[in-house]
Amino acid sequence: MKTQQQIDRTARDLDPEVHDSNFMGAKLKSERRYATLHRDYDDPDKLRETAGLIKQHTLEHLDTYLAQAEASFQRNGATVHFAVDDDAVNAKVLSIMNENNAKSVVKSKSMLTEETHMLKYLEENGKEVVETDLGEFILQIDNDHPSHIVTPIVHKNRRGIAKSFEREGLGDYNDDPETITRRARKHLRQKYIDADVGLTGGNFVSAESGRVVLVTNEGNARFCMAANKIHIAVIGIEKLVPTDRDLGLFLNLIGRSGTGQQLTVYNQFIAGPKSKDQPHGPEQTHIIFVDNRRTEVLASDCREILRCIRCGACLNVCPIYRQSGGHAYRSVYPGPVGAVLSPLLAGNRFPELADLPKASSLCGACNEVCPVNIPIPDLLLRLRDKAKREGAKVAMKGTPNLAMWATLCSQPTMWKTALSMGHTMNYIPTELVPHPSAKSWQGARKLPKFQGGEFRKWFKNRK
Ligand code: SF4
């Protein structure tokens, strides 16, 4: 099904309560973002510009910064791996586990592991994997997937969650949020203690010091490392920043942009395994830097999207996302960022997702809120053009051929004549309008009465 149809259908079929929660959640976060940023900074746009420049600079010198980060991590005692694609990442995690005879993993939220379907892969290979972010845990027991990159279960309500907990033997039905949280905490506590491996992503990586920075609001990422012997961090190569000093700027922006918090509640800086005189912490730290087509994106004319710090602000302001929710985007990354990133990361599956860039009104709201100043509407247009150039049928379907329109607009005499004759359209029954795309448009809407030419007549008389 085409994205536009899917979005229309999802918006229409969405449970009204889920729609309201989706809409209100996104709206509230946007408002909080605005209030926090503007209360704390005189010129937030300057900050966004600076953050964008730092990220772009890092991307343009990625080879240098990756080598520097590798050396820094090794100095800290961590083992660094590079994985070219999703199969390689999954296989690397499995081989680290097998080498250490590890059977179970506690995992903190990571979009990259969603991208590689890590959970399913490890389970198929006989490992027990437990999601520890509360939202992701609920998705795991429901066999569902995230609909937002920061608040993954925005599409669920507490009654549904209470039923899932009851079904999984986590207590009798009770939809009190505090009870649900307490039950999850009790269940997960034992998992943290028993697991062999803690698996995380990484929000930022400082090339200078070899530090992974993890931001969460639940503190679950730090528990993933507290009792386990092995910590594996799976990190996209675009997550690098040059120095520790840069981290201050990004930490200030990610919380404010995503959820309207001045700072996320838990911010963890991990440099490597525990030292000899430290009583707690993992004995091994493995950093896996993942490409998975990011270098292809870097080589494209849409490379700016790799600046993304996954704050979710563009989803919260997007009128399409607010109406339809994240599942309508049929990809790991929903909303405006997904409409750009997903088709690019799809590689030779690009034609299948080539219509995603059309899931936008091009209103520019995403561009205005992006903390790293990504020109998302421009990138959407570039991708629409790419789809056209590459003849991606899924993107072309239903798109009117604008060649006739272009000729009409570029010939002033023809244009004036068409405008003065345009009112004759009002006498043609709409079902006889010959153009197929106009027909499909009319299926859902009424054609407005044509009133062209009036302004010109009025303007001429004024002269
Ligand atoms: S594109 Fe910008 S606004 Fe959207 S998630 Fe990424 S950093 Fe945030």
Side-chain angles (χ1 to χ4, degrees):
M1 192 188 295
K2 288 195 308 155
T3 300
Q4 285 149 301
Q5 288 167 346
Q6 177 138 2
I7 283 176
D8 279 349
R9 181 174 295 183
T10 316
R12 200 181 53 227
D13 296 348
L14 213 57
D15 177 314
E17 200 180 338
V18 174
H19 170 267
D20 290 353
S21 128
N22 218 14
F23 184 86
M24 286 313 292
K27 186 169 171 286
L28 271 175
K29 278 188 227 108
S30 306
E31 287 165 1
R32 265 191 244 128
R33 169 203 165 269
Y34 187 87
T36 322
L37 264 173
H38 287 261
R39 185 187 60 212
D40 296 344
Y41 294 106
D42 293 337
D43 191 355
D45 285 343
K46 193 82 201 150
L47 288 188
R48 300 191 310 119
E49 214 176 285
T50 310
L53 287 171
I54 293 172
K55 285 293 273 186
Q56 195 61 36
H57 162 86
T58 322
L59 291 169
E60 271 150 32
H61 300 88
L62 202 51
D63 48 349
T64 310
Y65 286 117
L66 265 175
Q68 193 188 356
E70 182 184 17
S72 307
F73 276 118
Q74 284 167 343
R75 237 185 354 258
N76 301 341
T79 311
V80 181
H81 313 264
F82 291 91
V84 72
D85 58 18
D86 45 3
D87 288 343
V89 191
N90 292 344
K92 180 48 75 185
V93 172
L94 184 66
S95 81
I96 296 170
M97 289 189 71
N98 286 340
E99 277 160 25
N100 290 281
N101 203 20
K103 305 252 175 321
S104 54
V105 192
V106 276
K107 179 178 168 299
S108 86
K109 181 170 164 24
S110 139
M111 292 307 291
L112 182 47
T113 52
E114 291 286 335
E115 205 180 301
T116 70
H117 308 288
M118 175 82 73
L119 197 153
K120 189 163 166 261
Y121 174 84
L122 290 177
E123 284 178 344
E124 282 171 0
N125 283 281
K127 308 295 178 194
E128 186 199 7
V129 190
V130 182
E131 293 281 1
T132 59
D133 172 273
L134 180 56
E136 292 284 343
F137 174 70
I138 292 161
L139 293 175
Q140 185 183 18
I141 60 177
D142 279 356
N143 203 12
D144 197 353
H145 56 280
S147 64
H148 191 287
I149 56 181
V150 176
T151 43
I153 55 162
V154 70
H155 60 288
K156 290 188 182 286
N157 63 35
R158 61 182 163 153
R159 285 185 302 285
I161 296 168
K163 280 186 202 150
S164 305
F165 270 51
E166 190 182 28
R167 189 194 62 224
E168 296 297 312
L170 296 169
D172 294 338
Y173 181 92
N174 188 325
D175 61 15
D176 167 42
E178 242 182 70
T179 309
I180 292 174
T181 313
R182 208 176 317 113
R183 285 174 177 176
R185 194 162 52 204
K186 188 169 168 223
H187 174 77
L188 291 174
R189 193 168 285 160
Q190 199 55 45
K191 300 289 178 188
Y192 286 124
I193 293 167
D194 295 343
D196 302 308
V197 172
L199 183 63
T200 70
N203 292 85
F204 306 102
V205 170
S206 159
E208 176 189 42
S209 62
R211 278 200 175 90
V212 184
V213 182
L214 280 163
V215 304
T216 70
N217 274 321
E218 298 173 15
N220 58 313
R222 61 168 57 187
F223 282 134
C224 286
M225 271 162 271
N228 321 123
K229 291 202 168 59
I230 303 164
H231 170 218
I232 306 174
V234 178
I235 305 168
I237 52 176
E238 79 282 16
K239 294 296 178 78
L240 283 169
V241 294
T243 66
D244 283 8
R245 192 161 171 258
D246 300 319
L247 294 172
L249 174 60
F250 289 103
L251 286 172
N252 271 301
L253 278 173
I254 193 168
R256 285 182 173 84
S257 303
T259 50
Q261 292 168 283
Q262 285 177 305
L263 203 58
T264 34
V265 181
Y266 298 93
N267 296 280
Q268 225 179 327
F269 296 71
I270 305 142
K274 68 171 184 174
S275 61
K276 281 195 199 80
D277 45 356
Q278 282 175 325
H280 303 296
E283 289 162 14
Q284 296 176 32
T285 300
H286 294 268
I287 307 294
I288 308 180
F289 280 120
V290 183
D291 182 333
N292 210 22
R293 302 212 176 84
R294 282 156 173 75
T295 42
E296 283 172 34
V297 180
L298 192 56
S300 77
D301 62 353
C302 293
R303 63 187 66 86
E304 295 98 321
I305 197 65
L306 290 178
R307 294 181 203 162
C308 176
I309 58 171
R310 314 279 189 265
C311 71
C314 58
L315 279 66
N316 297 337
V317 289
C318 176
I320 311 289
Y321 176 87
R322 283 182 177 189
Q323 292 301 329
S324 62
H327 286 166
Y329 292 79
R330 2 187 270 282
S331 67
V332 171
Y333 301 99
V337 56
V340 178
L341 194 57
S342 298
L344 288 167
L345 290 180
N348 55 16
R349 283 184 45 244
F350 172 77
E352 286 172 37
L353 295 178
D355 60 336
L356 273 183
K358 285 165 129 192
S360 169
S361 59
L362 297 179
C363 64
C366 48
N367 190 187
E368 271 177 38
V369 298
C370 179
V372 280
N373 209 20
I374 301 175
I376 299 175
D378 291 354
L379 303 186
L380 291 168
L381 288 174
R382 282 178 220 165
L383 279 175
R384 289 183 191 186
D385 184 49
K386 174 178 158 75
K388 196 170 174 225
R389 275 186 283 113
E390 296 184 9
K393 292 216 167 48
V394 66
M396 306 288 280
K397 228 169 148 190
T399 304
N401 182 342
L402 295 177
M404 255 166 65
W405 177 253
T407 314
L408 189 66
C409 294
S410 51
Q411 308 286 335
T413 320
M414 215 193 280
W415 175 249
K416 274 185 226 157
T417 316
L419 275 185
S420 59
M421 306 277 294
H423 66 280
T424 53
M425 288 283 289
N426 296 332
Y427 305 106
I428 303 174
T430 48
E431 58 279 10
L432 296 182
V433 174
H435 204 285
S437 58
K439 272 201 169 107
S440 76
W441 194 85
Q442 283 164 239
R445 304 162 186 89
K446 259 190 156 10
L447 271 181
K449 216 168 157 41
F450 188 86
Q451 296 186 347
E454 293 301 313
F455 173 76
R456 282 170 184 271
K457 215 189 289 167
W458 171 83
F459 196 63
K460 202 169 164 192
N461 289 341
R462 274 183 73 86
K463 277 204 277 182

